[in-house]
Amino acid sequence: MEIAAFQQLMRDLYLENDKRRGKTATTLWLVEEIGELAEAIRRDDRENIREELADCFAWIGALANLYGIDLEEAFSEKYPQSCPTCGRNPCICTD
């Protein structure tokens, strides 16, 4: 699935609910999912990590839709086939 198709699916499924919930509450849901991901990583539960990554991605799509941001475009601009910090591919940054 392309990023644009994913974002459209999230829009079709959840945009009205997301609008009612609002940007702040939607952000809090994302933060909760990130906490669940961290817990799955702590337990080294690969299947749960997979599930929580998908949930985090869905909530990121919800936020992008609420802010009218095209994720595919934003990602392509931020990561134009190279690291935005060092400009290289692969990245040579040392963290």
Side-chain angles (χ1 to χ4, degrees):
M1 175 180 290
E2 299 289 326
I3 295 172
F6 151 75
Q7 193 168 352
Q8 185 62 50
L9 175 62
M10 293 298 98
R11 188 177 298 113
D12 293 345
L13 289 172
Y14 301 118
L15 184 60
E16 293 309 311
N17 287 342
D18 294 338
K19 284 180 180 177
R20 277 193 297 277
R21 181 183 316 104
K23 295 171 182 174
T24 300
T26 299
T27 300
L28 292 175
W29 277 99
L30 170 60
V31 170
E32 181 177 327
E33 290 299 335
I34 291 169
E36 291 175 9
L37 173 60
E39 179 61 23
I41 290 169
R42 187 189 66 74
R43 291 190 322 268
D44 197 27
D45 181 342
R46 187 169 176 81
E47 186 56 35
N48 194 224
I49 291 168
R50 184 177 188 267
E51 180 181 322
E52 297 305 335
L53 282 169
D55 288 345
C56 290
F57 194 50
W59 286 105
I60 288 169
L63 278 175
N65 286 335
L66 285 173
Y67 281 95
I69 294 170
D70 180 318
L71 279 174
E72 192 163 344
E73 180 181 285
F75 190 83
S76 294
E77 287 174 11
K78 175 81 179 192
Y79 298 94
Q81 304 297 318
S82 61
C83 172
T85 302
C86 69
R88 302 284 299 272
N89 183 352
C91 173
I92 60 170
C93 296
T94 59
D95 292 347

